[in-house]
Amino acid sequence: MDNEPIVLLSSREIDKMRRAGQLAAELLDHLAPMVKPGVSTLDLNDEAERWTQAHGAKSAPLGYHGFPKSICTSINEVVCHGIPNAKQILKEGDIINIDVTPILDGYHGDTSRTFFVGEPSPLARKLVEVTEECLNRGIKAVKPGARIGDIGAVIQEYAEAEGFSVVRDFVGHGVSRIFHTAPQIPHYGTRGKGKKLRPGMVFTIEPMINEGTWEVEVMADKWTALTKDRKLSAQFEHTIVVTEDGVEILTLHPALVTS
């Protein structure tokens, strides 16, 4: 992926990305009330697929390199790419990341949030709040002329200062008509390193922050990634575009977008 050219999107393409991104945000809002004890991850998946189709979109994960479901549902020690299934029932105190990517008019809206199932432990709450702040700080580092390493540096510094670790094995990525493309966006790194950010670059920032070690293991299904020490992991993701004077989040709910 790193050898691929970075494509700068036109204003017309960015507008299509914005619409796809806002639809993705609406989908997460739609699923949020279902996140409670007793609900299966398959229930979440099936409702996401129904809603996506009803809004004239399709689910990018479904069939992507053989992925069998429409969304990713990653609970507790699952770092990412958890596969929804009927036997996986949400329990009081769980945390769950729901990652959705509807395709609307050919463009991908890629976003995720970590939700609490009932009341989380104080540690789980802190991990989730720190992870969301990591995303916010990463986004604030984006502006023309900045470097990709600046994004990872601010995320890593904050996460580690709070006693957590940053997953190395999975990174943010360019996204447009293609689900995963250049550039890669590590969530750790060094200020001033990496490619220079230019207006029209569109990519995800999606830090995965672990309670313990940053190391992960991928299960035999070749998708589900777990923390090596089986401690908690959380993630938040937005798709953003580098603008002439800073950054715009493309995966905000329409009600949150200010003109």
Side-chain angles (χ1 to χ4, degrees):
M1 190 191 292
D2 256 355
N3 295 326
E4 295 174 28
I6 297 172
V7 177
L8 303 180
L9 271 57
S10 68
S11 58
R12 183 189 69 84
E13 291 174 306
I14 291 166
D15 190 52
K16 288 180 181 287
M17 287 294 295
R18 191 179 291 113
R19 276 183 242 151
Q22 290 178 0
L23 189 74
E26 289 183 82
L27 173 53
L28 285 180
D29 276 11
H30 176 73
L31 295 175
M34 292 181 64
V35 179
K36 53 192 178 186
V39 173
S40 78
T41 52
L42 185 65
D43 293 334
L44 293 168
N45 177 86
D46 291 352
E47 179 55 24
E49 179 62 28
R50 184 204 66 75
W51 189 95
T52 299
Q53 289 186 22
H55 286 77
K58 33 183 212 181
S59 303
L62 185 59
Y64 182 76
H65 294 308
F67 190 80
K69 298 298 179 187
S70 300
I71 62 175
C72 297
T73 49
S74 303
I75 298 176
N76 295 337
E77 73 276 10
V78 179
V79 175
C80 61
H81 304 155
I83 301 172
N85 72 83
K87 293 181 180 176
Q88 189 173 55
I89 309 297
L90 299 182
K91 304 187 305 296
E92 177 74 26
D94 283 344
I95 60 173
I96 177 173
N97 177 269
I98 303 178
D99 193 339
V100 303
T101 311
I103 305 172
L104 183 66
D105 198 16
Y107 289 81
H108 293 71
D110 193 0
T111 187
S112 83
R113 296 177 207 157
T114 297
F115 297 89
F116 300 128
V117 183
E119 185 61 32
S121 69
L123 176 62
R125 181 178 292 281
K126 181 185 176 187
L127 174 66
V128 171
E129 289 174 350
V130 166
T131 304
E132 187 168 20
E133 179 62 16
C134 281
L135 173 60
N136 293 336
R137 290 183 182 217
I139 291 170
K140 284 176 185 165
V142 175
K143 60 185 178 184
R147 299 277 180 173
I148 286 176
D150 300 347
I151 301 169
V154 298
I155 291 171
Q156 183 179 9
E157 286 163 12
Y158 180 68
E160 292 180 354
E162 293 294 328
F164 300 124
S165 64
V166 181
V167 171
R168 311 288 205 268
D169 299 57
F170 303 99
V171 296
H173 54 87
V175 59
S176 55
R177 295 183 72 90
I178 303 168
F179 197 172
H180 297 90
T181 186
Q184 291 193 348
I185 309 293
H187 304 110
Y188 60 97
T190 306
R191 280 183 172 77
K193 299 288 188 182
K195 292 187 170 68
K196 192 177 285 189
L197 302 181
R198 292 182 288 161
M201 288 173 67
V202 174
F203 51 83
T204 69
I205 303 176
E206 47 183 296
M208 287 149 262
I209 307 299
N210 291 353
E211 172 194 346
T213 179
W214 59 265
E215 295 176 287
V216 307
E217 294 177 348
V218 178
M219 290 177 62
D221 63 23
K222 295 186 168 45
W223 286 105
T224 308
L226 304 168
T227 55
K228 191 168 186 180
D229 56 12
R230 302 302 189 262
K231 292 183 177 180
L232 295 175
S233 183
Q235 181 187 19
F236 284 84
E237 173 183 20
H238 271 311
T239 299
I240 62 95
V241 58
V242 184
T243 63
E244 293 293 339
D245 56 0
V247 61
E248 178 190 346
I249 302 170
L250 297 174
T251 42
L252 284 180
H253 188 283
L256 300 176
V257 176
T258 54
S259 55

